[in-house]
Amino acid sequence: MVENALDKIIKKKEQRLKDLKKSVSVDDLQKKISENKSFINFKEKVEFNIANNKVSLIAEIKKASPSAGIIIENYNPVDIANKYYKNKATCLSVLTEEDFFLGSLAHIYKIKSKMIPMDPTSMHMPILCKDFFIDSYQVHLAKYYGADAILIILSAVPENIANQLYEEALKLNMSVIVEVHTKDEARYSLKFSDALIGINNRNLKTLKTNMNTTFDIHDILINHKGPLISESGIKTKDDLLNVVKKTNIKTFLIGESLLKNID
């Protein structure tokens, strides 16, 4: 059987977590989390824009991806965050997976410490820790580094783990994006009533992108009370406006097409 891209990433993540847990306990993380005053409400920021009929852009920061390879050679996440901030992005998505995306949780800390050294409300740009969450330990880890939201990819974890991740994030006062790619995942995601639901147009097993995924799945999610997000494959303003017109989705997570034209 050919191992798919998602399986490879998860296997590597499992090993990394096994090693990390030996050196840093949840209790250690909790002590530092209680001192963290940099929280910004990710979900509320998006809901405010929806209420005011505005489009929200969750602008992604990443050095590389399995599908695109190295995207930015001289990678400086703080500089990228500043450019997004000046151009009025709603939120940031920081890719922190180390082995396939060349990310780091430290990038979240650096962005927050450089951009909001005094007043956490002055930035107004909350940060999603975009990673492959497979263990509730990671939720504490993300919060420790300053993340305001986490991502739960339903294709990456069994239902019981997805439930645990969701509950742990809510306990830590974090926003949650539950990511779906199929109709079955979309139906299951409706149980996460306090989450934002992201429709990923990229199949994480094959890495192929199809914008029709958003259109095919949208009807299942139309009664979800939280914000819906269209993720991946959006390259132009026309792509974005087409989604708005057909689905009324007004929140978009965009990475490569911004990063390849960062100036």
Side-chain angles (χ1 to χ4, degrees):
M1 181 178 174
V2 177
E3 188 176 34
N4 64 52
L6 184 59
D7 287 343
K8 290 179 182 178
I9 295 169
I10 297 301
K11 280 185 179 179
K12 195 70 176 178
K13 180 63 67 178
E14 287 171 346
Q15 185 57 53
R16 276 191 171 270
L17 286 174
K18 185 178 178 182
D19 295 338
L20 191 57
K21 283 180 176 181
K22 293 174 184 176
S23 58
V24 185
S25 70
V26 169
D27 287 342
D28 293 334
L29 295 173
Q30 282 285 30
K31 288 173 187 174
K32 292 293 183 181
I33 286 170
S34 63
E35 301 168 8
N36 180 3
K37 307 301 180 187
S38 71
F39 177 75
I40 310 165
N41 195 310
F42 190 102
K43 183 182 176 185
E44 279 188 5
K45 188 76 190 289
V46 172
E47 287 180 327
F48 176 84
N49 277 0
I50 292 172
N52 287 277
N53 200 32
K54 293 181 179 179
V55 166
S56 292
L57 179 61
I58 304 168
E60 190 149 276
I61 298 174
K62 61 184 174 185
K63 179 172 184 174
S65 75
S67 59
I70 300 291
I71 300 168
I72 297 179
E73 287 286 352
N74 299 314
Y75 181 66
N76 187 320
V78 176
D79 284 352
I80 297 168
N82 271 308
K83 286 177 181 176
Y84 285 154
Y85 177 59
K86 288 173 183 175
N87 286 282
K88 298 181 171 56
T90 311
C91 306
L92 298 178
S93 167
V94 180
L95 213 311
T96 59
E97 195 279 330
E98 302 89 344
D99 296 292
F100 296 85
F101 294 84
L102 307 182
S104 169
L105 281 161
H107 295 162
I108 294 177
Y109 175 78
K110 286 179 181 177
I111 290 167
K112 278 207 164 178
S113 61
K114 295 288 185 182
M115 295 183 73
I116 50 171
M118 300 296 288
D119 178 10
T121 62
S122 66
M123 179 177 156
H124 300 298
M125 197 162 56
I127 298 177
L128 165 70
C129 176
K130 193 173 183 190
D131 209 322
F132 295 80
F133 283 81
I134 58 173
D135 187 312
S136 57
Y137 175 85
Q138 291 170 274
V139 185
H140 293 264
L141 203 58
K143 180 80 171 182
Y144 168 78
Y145 277 95
D148 305 295
I150 67 157
L151 180 74
I152 301 174
I153 304 170
L154 290 189
S155 60
V157 289
E159 291 178 0
N160 65 314
I161 299 297
N163 297 341
Q164 288 173 22
L165 293 168
Y166 176 73
E167 294 298 334
E168 204 64 40
L170 294 187
K171 285 179 191 174
L172 290 173
N173 194 32
M174 301 177 82
S175 298
V176 179
I177 296 178
V178 173
E179 183 177 285
V180 303
H181 180 72
T182 67
K183 290 182 178 181
D184 285 343
E185 289 172 0
R187 292 184 190 98
Y188 185 72
S189 73
L190 291 170
K191 69 168 287 183
F192 301 104
S193 58
D194 289 319
L196 304 90
I197 297 180
I199 304 171
N200 195 348
N201 298 305
R202 188 183 305 281
N203 183 324
L204 292 178
K205 296 177 181 178
T206 65
L207 301 181
K208 293 181 179 178
T209 303
N210 185 348
M211 282 300 298
N212 286 326
T213 305
T214 288
F215 305 133
D216 292 343
I217 290 177
H218 168 256
D219 287 349
I220 296 170
L221 301 171
I222 200 164
N223 292 320
H224 177 65
K225 68 178 184 179
L228 303 181
I229 306 167
S230 183
E231 307 173 5
S232 303
I234 299 151
K235 294 182 171 62
T236 67
K237 183 179 179 180
D238 286 342
D239 289 341
L240 186 151
L241 293 175
N242 189 39
V243 174
V244 174
K245 181 180 178 181
K246 291 183 177 179
T247 68
N248 205 35
I249 290 174
K250 291 188 173 67
T251 309
F252 299 86
L253 194 155
I254 304 177
E256 288 175 22
S257 58
L258 293 177
L259 292 166
K260 288 177 178 177
N261 300 280
I262 197 64
D263 292 324

